Amino acid sequence: MDYYYISYALTILALIITTVAQIYVNSSYSKYKKVKNRRGLTGAEAARAVLDKNGLQNVKIGMVRGTLSDHYDPRTKTVNLSSDIYNGTTIAGVSVACHECGHAIQDKENYTFMRIRSSLVPIVNFSSKLGYFAILLGIVFSSINLIWLGIFAEIAILLFQLVTLPVEFDASRKALKELDAMQILDNSEMRGSKTMLRSAALTYVASVTSTIIEIFRLILLAGNRNRD
């Protein structure tokens, strides 16, 4: 019986952590997407300037649907920006756009953690499908081996998330460096940019923490089943 109370508590804890992190990033983004940058640059214009400065004239800038759906695609060498970021002349717009340019710079520099993360993508895609399916079958058929297979799949996801942390933090560091050096934002605007990018980074920390909690919960499940 104790296991079930602990399991529920861990599930709620993980939910609280991810929810608080998401609220924080949404709050920061909502605040700074309303604040115009003084130079009046759009996210796309800032991104183009940063890319060109770093010898990345070959990297394209595209517009995608969604909110905060921005990402860099190393396969097509494209910085993809959501419409609010692409067209926005806000602190949020140029900050997010330059963060994605940070990934393009990482790609050019052959950044180690980015390469590791890319190599883990097929494994993680497989693990995300396998994990809970194996755990569900393990519970239904009382198979400890299947439950542990699911746990190892979750550990693979955790490894991917851990490698993602330095990739995201480094991209933000590069973005802030360029925003300052190129005077895209002034000193007061830089403070807002740092706050927003820091809040976004915390969502990755929250994901890692939640996955660790989930793995611990599943280990408790396996131990409880083994005793039964």
Side-chain angles (χ1 to χ4, degrees):
M1 184 64 69
D2 288 344
Y3 159 75
Y4 294 104
Y5 287 126
I6 295 172
S7 178
Y8 291 138
L10 290 174
T11 300
I12 292 170
L13 177 61
L15 180 62
I16 290 172
I17 290 171
T18 53
T19 300
V20 169
Q22 197 60 52
I23 290 173
Y24 184 35
V25 70
N26 287 341
S27 174
S28 296
Y29 175 69
S30 296
K31 177 180 179 179
Y32 291 106
K33 77 174 184 178
K34 298 174 183 175
V35 182
K36 302 290 184 181
N37 66 75
R38 292 178 184 175
R39 289 188 59 184
L41 291 175
T42 65
E45 290 170 339
R48 186 73 271 160
V50 169
L51 292 171
D52 290 348
K53 175 180 176 289
N54 286 274
L56 292 168
Q57 289 83 0
N58 63 310
V59 174
K60 302 182 291 294
I61 301 173
M63 187 164 61
V64 292
R65 294 180 180 178
T67 300
L68 293 178
S69 53
D70 315 88
H71 63 281
Y72 170 68
D73 190 337
R75 297 167 301 176
T76 60
K77 308 297 181 189
T78 305
V79 170
N80 294 296
L81 303 176
S82 56
S83 58
D84 285 350
I85 301 300
Y86 189 99
N87 296 309
T89 57
T90 62
I91 292 176
V94 297
S95 298
V96 173
C98 289
H99 172 87
E100 299 308 328
C101 291
H103 290 309
I105 296 170
Q106 289 173 337
D107 190 18
K108 177 188 175 183
E109 295 176 347
N110 206 27
Y111 184 59
T112 301
F113 286 107
M114 188 179 196
R115 295 302 169 205
I116 295 173
R117 185 176 73 166
S118 296
S119 67
L120 289 174
V121 168
I123 298 172
V124 171
N125 288 339
F126 177 72
S127 296
S128 62
K129 297 175 182 177
L130 170 69
Y132 276 96
F133 184 66
I135 292 166
L136 178 62
L137 289 179
I139 294 172
V140 171
F141 296 106
S142 298
S143 171
I144 297 299
N145 290 335
L146 281 175
I147 293 175
W148 275 105
L149 180 61
I151 291 171
F152 285 123
E154 285 295 303
I155 291 173
I157 293 171
L158 174 61
L159 178 60
F160 177 80
Q161 291 175 333
L162 287 171
V163 172
T164 296
L165 285 179
V167 174
E168 295 300 328
F169 278 103
D170 182 69
S172 289
R173 182 184 64 79
K174 284 179 166 57
L176 291 169
K177 178 182 176 182
E178 297 297 342
L179 286 166
D180 186 33
M182 298 177 67
Q183 297 184 333
I184 294 173
L185 298 178
D186 64 24
N187 290 336
S188 62
E189 292 172 325
M190 284 294 296
R191 287 193 290 272
S193 180
K194 289 176 183 177
T195 298
M196 206 199 78
L197 292 177
R198 189 183 303 116
S199 68
L202 285 178
T203 61
Y204 294 97
V205 176
S207 294
V208 168
T209 304
S210 296
T211 302
I212 291 172
I213 291 172
E214 179 63 11
I215 290 171
F216 180 60
R217 188 184 73 83
L218 292 173
I219 290 173
L220 290 178
L221 170 63
N224 186 66
R225 289 280 168 174
N226 195 39
R227 285 192 299 273
D228 294 344

